[in-house]
Protein backbone atom coordinates (compact mmCIF):
# COMPACT_ATOMS: atom_id res chain seq x y z
CA UNK A 1 0.00 0.00 0.00
CA UNK A 2 2.97 2.34 0.53
CA UNK A 3 3.36 2.78 -3.23
CA UNK A 4 -0.20 4.11 -3.44
CA UNK A 5 -0.37 6.11 -0.23
CA UNK A 6 3.03 7.77 -0.72
CA UNK A 7 2.27 8.70 -4.31
CA UNK A 8 -1.49 9.19 -4.28
CA UNK A 9 -1.28 12.59 -5.97
CA UNK A 10 0.91 11.14 -8.74
CA UNK A 11 -1.52 8.28 -9.31
CA UNK A 12 -4.43 10.70 -9.14
CA UNK A 13 -2.91 12.97 -11.76
CA UNK A 14 -2.24 10.01 -14.06
CA UNK A 15 -5.73 8.60 -13.47
CA UNK A 16 -7.38 11.92 -14.30
CA UNK A 17 -5.19 12.25 -17.39
CA UNK A 18 -6.28 8.83 -18.65
CA UNK A 19 -9.91 9.60 -17.79
CA UNK A 20 -9.81 12.88 -19.73
CA UNK A 21 -8.20 11.20 -22.73
CA UNK A 22 -10.84 8.48 -22.65
CA UNK A 23 -13.80 10.86 -22.35
CA UNK A 24 -12.71 13.38 -24.98
CA UNK A 25 -11.46 10.76 -27.44
CA UNK A 26 -14.70 8.76 -26.98
CA UNK A 27 -16.79 11.82 -27.83
CA UNK A 28 -14.68 12.48 -30.94
CA UNK A 29 -14.79 8.80 -31.95
CA UNK A 30 -18.58 8.63 -31.60
CA UNK A 31 -19.10 11.81 -33.63
CA UNK A 32 -16.70 10.81 -36.40
CA UNK A 33 -17.96 7.23 -36.34
CA UNK A 34 -21.53 8.43 -36.82
CA UNK A 35 -20.53 10.70 -39.71
CA UNK A 36 -18.49 8.00 -41.45
CA UNK A 37 -21.19 5.37 -40.96
CA UNK A 38 -23.62 7.81 -42.61
CA UNK A 39 -21.16 8.24 -45.47
CA UNK A 40 -20.78 4.46 -45.82
CA UNK A 41 -24.50 3.95 -46.41
CA UNK A 42 -25.17 7.20 -48.28
CA UNK A 43 -26.65 7.06 -51.79
CA UNK A 44 -23.89 9.43 -52.99
CA UNK A 45 -20.93 7.50 -54.39
CA UNK A 46 -18.28 10.07 -53.41
CA UNK A 47 -19.41 9.96 -49.76
CA UNK A 48 -19.23 6.16 -49.74
CA UNK A 49 -15.68 6.37 -51.09
CA UNK A 50 -14.66 8.81 -48.34
CA UNK A 51 -16.16 6.56 -45.66
CA UNK A 52 -14.53 3.45 -47.10
CA UNK A 53 -11.09 5.09 -47.37
CA UNK A 54 -11.35 6.45 -43.82
CA UNK A 55 -12.20 3.06 -42.35
CA UNK A 56 -9.72 1.08 -44.47
CA UNK A 57 -6.76 3.36 -43.73
CA UNK A 58 -7.35 3.79 -40.00
CA UNK A 59 -8.26 0.17 -39.24
CA UNK A 60 -5.08 -1.02 -40.94
CA UNK A 61 -2.72 1.58 -39.45
CA UNK A 62 -0.96 0.77 -36.15
CA UNK A 63 -2.08 3.18 -33.45
CA UNK A 64 1.51 4.03 -32.51
CA UNK A 65 2.21 5.04 -36.11
CA UNK A 66 -0.91 7.21 -36.09
CA UNK A 67 0.33 8.94 -32.93
CA UNK A 68 3.62 9.71 -34.69
CA UNK A 69 1.75 11.02 -37.73
CA UNK A 70 -0.48 13.31 -35.66
CA UNK A 71 1.98 14.52 -33.01
CA UNK A 72 4.91 14.98 -35.37
CA UNK A 73 3.16 15.53 -38.70
CA UNK A 74 0.49 18.12 -37.96
CA UNK A 75 2.93 20.71 -36.48
CA UNK A 76 4.77 20.67 -39.83
CA UNK A 77 1.60 22.10 -41.37
CA UNK A 78 1.47 24.90 -38.82
CA UNK A 79 -1.01 23.24 -36.45
CA UNK A 80 0.49 23.70 -32.98
CA UNK A 81 -1.60 22.28 -30.15
CA UNK A 82 -0.95 20.75 -26.71
CA UNK A 83 0.20 17.13 -26.88
CA UNK A 84 -2.92 16.03 -25.03
CA UNK A 85 -5.11 17.46 -27.82
CA UNK A 86 -3.01 15.65 -30.42
CA UNK A 87 -3.43 12.44 -28.42
CA UNK A 88 -7.22 12.91 -28.34
CA UNK A 89 -7.22 13.43 -32.12
CA UNK A 90 -5.15 10.29 -32.73
CA UNK A 91 -7.21 8.11 -30.37
CA UNK A 92 -10.53 9.53 -31.54
CA UNK A 93 -9.81 9.16 -35.25
CA UNK A 94 -8.43 5.63 -34.84
CA UNK A 95 -11.39 4.45 -32.77
CA UNK A 96 -13.92 6.15 -35.03
CA UNK A 97 -13.16 3.61 -37.76
CA UNK A 98 -14.28 0.77 -35.47
CA UNK A 99 -17.29 2.74 -34.23
CA UNK A 100 -18.23 3.37 -37.86
CA UNK A 101 -18.22 -0.33 -38.70
CA UNK A 102 -20.21 -1.18 -35.56
CA UNK A 103 -22.84 1.40 -36.50
CA UNK A 104 -22.89 0.25 -40.12
CA UNK A 105 -23.46 -3.34 -39.06
CA UNK A 106 -26.37 -2.13 -36.91
CA UNK A 107 -27.79 -0.14 -39.81
CA UNK A 108 -27.62 -3.26 -41.98
CA UNK A 109 -29.79 -5.14 -39.47
CA UNK A 110 -32.67 -2.72 -40.10
CA UNK A 111 -34.92 -4.02 -42.90
CA UNK A 112 -34.47 -2.04 -46.10
CA UNK A 113 -38.22 -1.60 -46.25
CA UNK A 114 -38.01 0.75 -43.27
CA UNK A 115 -35.86 3.23 -45.17
CA UNK A 116 -37.89 2.81 -48.36
CA UNK A 117 -41.11 3.51 -46.45
CA UNK A 118 -39.59 6.65 -44.95
CA UNK A 119 -38.50 7.91 -48.37
CA UNK A 120 -41.92 7.13 -49.82
CA UNK A 121 -43.33 9.51 -47.21
CA UNK A 122 -41.14 12.28 -48.57
CA UNK A 123 -38.28 12.05 -46.07
CA UNK A 124 -34.76 12.85 -47.25
CA UNK A 125 -31.91 10.41 -46.73
CA UNK A 126 -30.67 12.26 -43.64
CA UNK A 127 -34.19 12.41 -42.19
CA UNK A 128 -34.88 8.71 -42.72
CA UNK A 129 -31.45 7.79 -41.36
CA UNK A 130 -31.76 9.95 -38.25
CA UNK A 131 -35.43 9.39 -37.48
CA UNK A 132 -36.09 5.84 -38.65
CA UNK A 133 -32.96 3.75 -39.25
CA UNK A 134 -30.48 4.86 -36.59
CA UNK A 135 -32.88 4.64 -33.61
CA UNK A 136 -33.48 0.99 -34.49
CA UNK A 137 -29.82 0.30 -35.28
CA UNK A 138 -28.70 1.86 -31.99
CA UNK A 139 -30.32 -0.92 -29.99
CA UNK A 140 -28.22 -3.63 -31.63
CA UNK A 141 -24.86 -1.82 -31.53
CA UNK A 142 -24.71 -0.99 -27.82
CA UNK A 143 -22.46 -3.98 -26.86
CA UNK A 144 -19.89 -3.59 -29.69
CA UNK A 145 -19.65 0.18 -29.20
CA UNK A 146 -19.10 -0.37 -25.47
CA UNK A 147 -16.33 -2.89 -26.18
CA UNK A 148 -14.70 -0.47 -28.60
CA UNK A 149 -14.66 2.34 -26.04
CA UNK A 150 -13.17 0.00 -23.43
CA UNK A 151 -10.40 -0.76 -25.93
CA UNK A 152 -9.94 3.00 -26.40
CA UNK A 153 -9.41 3.46 -22.65
CA UNK A 154 -6.65 0.84 -22.70
CA UNK A 155 -5.12 2.20 -25.92
CA UNK A 156 -4.72 5.59 -24.23
CA UNK A 157 -1.64 4.14 -22.51
CA UNK A 158 0.30 4.78 -25.73
CA UNK A 159 -0.05 8.53 -25.14
CA UNK A 160 2.41 8.31 -22.23
CA UNK A 161 5.23 7.68 -24.68
CA UNK A 162 4.51 11.10 -26.23
CA UNK A 163 4.82 13.24 -23.09
CA UNK A 164 1.09 13.11 -22.32
CA UNK A 165 0.10 12.75 -18.68
CA UNK A 166 -1.70 9.43 -18.23
CA UNK A 167 -1.81 6.52 -15.81
CA UNK A 168 0.73 4.11 -17.27
CA UNK A 169 3.41 6.80 -17.45
CA UNK A 170 3.50 7.06 -13.65
CA UNK A 171 5.61 3.91 -13.46
CA UNK A 172 8.64 5.82 -14.78
CA UNK A 173 8.62 8.25 -11.86
CA UNK A 174 7.93 5.49 -9.35
CA UNK A 175 10.77 3.39 -10.74
CA UNK A 176 13.16 6.34 -10.42
CA UNK A 177 12.05 6.78 -6.80
CA UNK A 178 12.95 3.17 -6.08
CA UNK A 179 9.46 1.72 -5.52
CA UNK A 180 8.64 -1.88 -6.38
CA UNK A 181 7.85 -2.04 -10.10
CA UNK A 182 5.42 -4.90 -9.49
CA UNK A 183 3.27 -2.97 -7.02
CA UNK A 184 3.53 0.12 -9.17
CA UNK A 185 1.94 -1.79 -12.03
CA UNK A 186 -0.64 -3.40 -9.74
CA UNK A 187 -2.07 0.00 -8.79
CA UNK A 188 -1.86 1.18 -12.38
CA UNK A 189 -3.88 -1.88 -13.39
CA UNK A 190 -6.44 -1.08 -10.68
CA UNK A 191 -6.84 2.41 -12.14
CA UNK A 192 -7.49 1.05 -15.63
CA UNK A 193 -9.87 -1.52 -14.15
CA UNK A 194 -11.92 1.23 -12.51
CA UNK A 195 -12.27 3.09 -15.82
CA UNK A 196 -13.11 0.03 -17.91
CA UNK A 197 -15.59 -1.29 -15.35
CA UNK A 198 -17.31 2.10 -15.30
CA UNK A 199 -17.65 2.03 -19.10
CA UNK A 200 -18.88 -1.56 -18.95
CA UNK A 201 -21.47 -0.69 -16.29
CA UNK A 202 -22.72 2.25 -18.36
CA UNK A 203 -23.21 0.17 -21.49
CA UNK A 204 -24.73 -2.72 -19.53
CA UNK A 205 -27.30 -0.23 -18.25
CA UNK A 206 -27.94 1.06 -21.77
CA UNK A 207 -28.27 -2.47 -23.09
CA UNK A 208 -30.76 -3.48 -20.41
CA UNK A 209 -32.83 -0.38 -21.07
CA UNK A 210 -32.68 -0.13 -24.85
CA UNK A 211 -30.93 -3.24 -26.15
CA UNK A 212 -32.48 -5.89 -28.35
CA UNK A 213 -34.13 -8.65 -26.31
CA UNK A 214 -32.48 -12.00 -26.91
Amino acid sequence: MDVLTDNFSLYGKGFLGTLELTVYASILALLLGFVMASFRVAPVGSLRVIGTVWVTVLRNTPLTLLFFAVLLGLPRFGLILPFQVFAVIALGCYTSAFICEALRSGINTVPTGQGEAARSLGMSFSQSLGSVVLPQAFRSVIPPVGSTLIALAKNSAIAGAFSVTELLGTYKTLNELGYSIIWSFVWIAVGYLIITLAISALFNFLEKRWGVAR
Side-chain angles (χ1 to χ4, degrees), residues 121-134:
L121 294 174
M123 288 186 176
S124 65
F125 169 75
S126 59
Q127 289 175 327
S128 63
L129 184 67
S131 302
V132 178
V133 178
L134 279 177

Side-chain angles (χ1 to χ4, degrees), residues 1-11 174 177 179 187:
M1 286 291 293
D2 288 346
V3 178
L4 179 63
T5 55
D6 293 349
N7 302 279
F8 191 78
S9 61
L10 179 64
Y11 273 114
L174 295 172
L177 294 174
Y179 287 97
W187 292 113

Side-chain angles (χ1 to χ4, degrees), residues 114-214:
Q114 298 281 333
E116 293 172 354
R119 286 191 292 274
S120 69
L121 294 174
M123 288 186 176
S124 65
F125 169 75
S126 59
Q127 289 175 327
S128 63
L129 184 67
S131 302
V132 178
V133 178
L134 279 177
Q136 298 180 68
F138 170 75
R139 300 176 63 197
S140 63
V141 302
I142 294 174
V145 168
S147 298
T148 302
L149 295 185
I150 288 174
L152 182 153
K154 293 183 287 186
N155 286 338
S156 67
I158 297 176
F162 296 89
S163 302
V164 177
T165 301
E166 52 79 44
L167 190 56
L168 183 62
T170 59
Y171 88 91
K172 299 175 184 177
T173 303
L174 295 172
N175 188 43
E176 292 172 357
L177 294 174
Y179 287 97
S180 168
I181 194 66
I182 295 176
W183 282 106
S184 298
F185 277 115
V186 165
W187 292 113
I188 288 172
V190 169
Y192 279 106
L193 189 62
I194 292 172
I195 294 173
T196 55
L197 286 178
I199 297 173
S200 179
L202 172 61
F203 278 85
N204 282 338
F205 168 76
L206 294 176
E207 186 178 11
K208 288 179 181 178
R209 183 161 185 175
W210 289 302
V212 176
R214 303 184 187 279

